[in-house]
Amino acid sequence: MNVLECKNLVKVYGKVVAVKNVSLGIGRGETKVIFGPSGSGKSTLLRCLGLLEKPTSGNIYFNNVDVYATKQDLNKLRAKIGFVFQEPSLFRHLTALRNVMLGLKHVLGYSEEESRSKAMEALRLVKMEDWANYYPAQLSGGQQQRVGIARAIAMDPEIILFDEPTAALDVELKWEVISVMKDLADRGITMLIATHELRFAKEVADEMIFMDQGEIIEIGDAEQFFTSPTTERARRFMAKLLG
Amino acid sequence: MLFLLDFSDFLLNGFLTTLQVTLVGVGLGIILGILAALGDIYGGKIVKIIVNVYVEFFRGSPLIAQLFLIYFTLPVLTGLKLDVITVGYLTLALNSGAYQKGYLKGAMEAVFKDQFLAALSLGLPLRKILMYVVVPQSLRIVIPAWSNELASMAKSTTALIVIGVREFLNTGVSITAQTFKPLETYLFITIVYFIWIYSMLKILDIIYNRVKIPGLEPVI
């Protein structure tokens, strides 16, 4: 069964068609990777799947229920879909711990103590427990991103969407975020990751999805993309990325 | 200047009126400013138009004209009999709110687009996003701008003299009329204004440094 799925999803901004007719599903426990040139619609697709933007047309299913057709409470569903952004979007007036606690306390309704212990558990998972009382501005980009992952994990979501979580980081900070994501994949957490880190993708992806100009061009396993992509566009893009 | 001691109660009352009008004006102005800023950012088209007409009107016309306008027209329009001090509160609040909306909107917009989305993704409803994410940060960021607003409002209260509010400057006018000693009287009054405003700014400075959070520097 798919946790999250979209059918014929289209998103148009003004005259720009950002996502063209995309259908895609992520099953429980799966890790799928989306990649493709910037501007290929990955972010928009993820935001639609995360219910942060309403698609222009098409359907989104959460646990096989059509979200918009059956007028689901979006906030309830958003709490079950974790989202990690490209920019570490931490709340700047709150410590790392408080960032993670906010949703636990004010969305899921846990008490102060319960929220605190659950948040600490999530911070331990991303190895940030020693930084719990630091403010975002006192942390490096990689550390902020790990807190962002902890904030998503703590909500115990059914799936986590990652929108190029390492794209804004220096090379030496990327590995710490990647290793956290690998860890999550090993734990069987359902994930959809947009990334350009192909070596990482090869290790974790059950399936890789190549997007260009708002469309899915090719779907396959990592092996296929690394050795013999079937489409010309994927072949060219792989060549560019792998140098 | 010792003759002023004979008027100490009178002066004190005038000063307290000025203090009260300033704080109420800025205080109500904060609330109006927050509402107007939120309305302008998150409201629909009609709300945005109302907010902008309000803001432009109060920023683009003289305070004394606004005082007269409200003093003479509001009782006619509403049938309520307003005393001068209420007119003072109301006008200063509307005036201050129009300026504060600008500071607050800048603070809210500049930093919060990505955080807004992050809060949304956690499943927080709009009301809670504003309460726990947007407003606490904007209030901190806007404190230095408030210093200016408070100083400017403290000085603007002297305009209330035109509708006959017995504020601090007005007490000076009365004393001068009785004693014919304008030099000492106005010197005293001006110095008191200065000391008061200066210490208010210092206090706000201390508050700002207390609630300051690393990485949340003012944007204005």
Side-chain angles (χ1 to χ4, degrees):
Chain A
M1 186 184 88
N2 282 328
V3 178
L4 196 57
E5 188 178 355
C6 64
K7 278 190 188 147
N8 308 321
L9 192 141
V10 176
K11 179 70 188 181
V12 181
Y13 295 106
K15 285 182 183 158
V16 183
V17 185
V19 176
K20 290 177 202 160
N21 216 26
V22 165
S23 300
L24 166 75
I26 306 103
R28 200 165 295 282
E30 282 186 320
T31 299
K32 293 196 177 183
V33 166
I34 304 186
F35 70 111
S38 36
S40 60
K42 304 182 296 286
S43 275
T44 307
L45 175 62
L46 285 177
R47 283 178 189 206
C48 288
L49 287 170
L51 310 180
L52 302 176
E53 300 218 24
K54 198 174 177 190
T56 310
S57 68
N59 307 69
I60 295 178
Y61 302 86
F62 184 76
N63 288 332
N64 292 343
V65 176
D66 188 323
V67 173
Y68 291 103
T70 59
K71 296 207 165 50
Q72 297 289 309
D73 179 346
L74 293 184
N75 285 326
K76 278 217 174 96
L77 296 184
R78 284 174 186 138
K80 297 180 184 172
I81 304 173
F83 207 107
V84 177
F85 298 84
Q86 180 169 346
E87 300 294 328
S89 313
L90 298 183
F91 309 124
R92 303 186 71 78
H93 64 309
L94 301 176
T95 60
L97 178 67
R98 289 268 156 202
N99 261 278
V100 183
M101 284 173 68
L102 190 74
L104 293 169
K105 211 172 151 183
H106 297 294
V107 176
L108 301 183
Y110 286 110
S111 71
E112 173 83 15
E113 296 78 52
E114 285 171 318
S115 308
R116 183 182 298 271
S117 78
K118 279 188 182 296
M120 280 310 290
E121 203 179 302
L123 285 172
R124 257 192 296 280
L125 208 68
V126 299
K127 301 187 177 61
M128 283 298 292
E129 70 272 26
D130 293 338
W131 301 86
N133 293 319
Y134 284 71
Y135 286 98
Q138 297 167 320
L139 304 173
S140 75
Q143 291 173 323
Q144 289 187 40
Q145 202 54 292
R146 277 147 66 198
V147 175
I149 295 174
R151 183 171 65 183
I153 285 286
M155 302 289 285
D156 201 12
E158 298 193 27
I159 180 171
I160 306 182
L161 310 177
F162 291 84
D163 186 7
E164 298 198 46
T166 59
L169 299 177
D170 295 337
V171 183
E172 64 264 35
L173 296 177
K174 279 182 182 174
W175 72 268
E176 56 182 58
V177 175
I178 287 176
S179 86
V180 165
M181 287 194 290
K182 270 189 202 162
D183 198 34
L184 298 181
D186 290 343
R187 284 167 192 265
I189 289 173
T190 311
M191 303 197 282
L192 177 62
I193 308 170
T195 184
H196 286 155
E197 304 295 324
L198 288 188
R199 278 166 235 283
F200 157 65
K202 197 176 175 182
E203 280 184 53
V204 298
D206 297 309
E207 188 173 81
M208 289 179 65
I209 300 147
F210 176 65
M211 267 184 92
D212 194 13
Q213 295 175 350
E215 289 175 292
I216 293 182
I217 305 296
E218 185 172 340
I219 297 184
D221 59 19
E223 204 48 45
Q224 175 190 328
F225 278 105
F226 273 84
T227 53
S228 54
T230 53
T231 57
E232 181 55 31
R233 271 198 269 184
R235 205 191 327 266
R236 246 184 283 143
F237 189 71
M238 289 298 290
K240 220 190 300 172
L241 272 192
L242 296 172
Chain B
M1 235 187 229
L2 283 175
F3 71 96
L4 286 172
L5 280 175
D6 300 337
F7 296 97
S8 53
D9 278 0
F10 188 54
L11 281 165
L12 184 66
N13 278 333
F15 181 72
L16 289 178
T17 303
T18 289
L19 187 69
Q20 203 175 323
V21 176
T22 306
L23 296 182
V24 172
V26 173
L28 290 178
I30 290 173
I31 296 168
L32 272 175
I34 291 176
L35 292 178
L38 290 175
D40 200 21
I41 300 175
Y42 303 110
K45 218 177 192 165
I46 294 165
V47 175
K48 280 183 190 171
I49 291 172
I50 293 171
V51 166
N52 283 299
V53 168
Y54 153 62
V55 168
E56 294 311 324
F57 178 77
F58 276 91
R59 280 165 43 126
S61 58
L63 178 60
I64 293 182
Q66 294 165 13
L67 277 168
F68 281 143
L69 185 71
I70 290 177
Y71 181 61
F72 289 113
T73 60
L74 209 59
V76 177
L77 288 175
T78 61
L80 292 170
K81 208 166 151 39
L82 297 174
D83 54 23
V84 284
I85 196 88
T86 311
V87 172
Y89 288 152
L90 205 61
T91 314
L92 291 178
L94 285 165
N95 186 282
S96 182
Y99 283 94
Q100 295 196 53
K101 176 252 165 192
Y103 311 146
L104 283 158
K105 190 188 172 200
M108 287 178 185
E109 274 186 338
V111 247
F112 302 132
K113 267 218 167 105
D114 59 328
Q115 294 183 46
F116 188 89
L117 221 49
L120 198 66
S121 81
L122 290 175
L124 284 160
L126 179 64
R127 184 178 55 83
K128 289 190 177 177
I129 297 179
L130 298 179
M131 198 153 91
Y132 297 117
V133 178
V134 177
V135 172
Q137 291 185 68
S138 353
L139 292 190
R140 281 193 179 84
I141 291 176
V142 93
I143 289 176
W146 266 337
S147 299
N148 294 335
E149 183 56 24
L150 207 54
S152 138
M153 194 46 53
K155 290 178 273 186
S156 297
T157 55
T158 53
L160 297 183
I161 209 169
V162 300
I163 55 168
V165 174
R166 273 227 177 277
E167 44 72 56
F168 196 43
L169 182 64
N170 207 351
T171 58
V173 174
S174 304
I175 292 170
T176 308
Q178 290 176 49
T179 59
F180 302 106
K181 287 179 177 163
L183 178 68
E184 292 95 325
T185 309
Y186 289 125
L187 186 64
F188 174 75
I189 291 215
T190 311
I191 289 171
V192 172
Y193 269 116
F194 172 76
I195 294 172
W196 170 50
I197 292 171
Y198 184 79
S199 37
M200 255 191 335
L201 294 185
K202 282 284 154 214
I203 290 169
L204 264 184
D205 231 25
I206 293 166
I207 294 177
Y208 176 66
N209 283 313
R210 277 255 169 118
V211 301
K212 194 166 69 175
I213 279 172
L216 259 190
E217 273 75 39
V219 288
I220 308 137

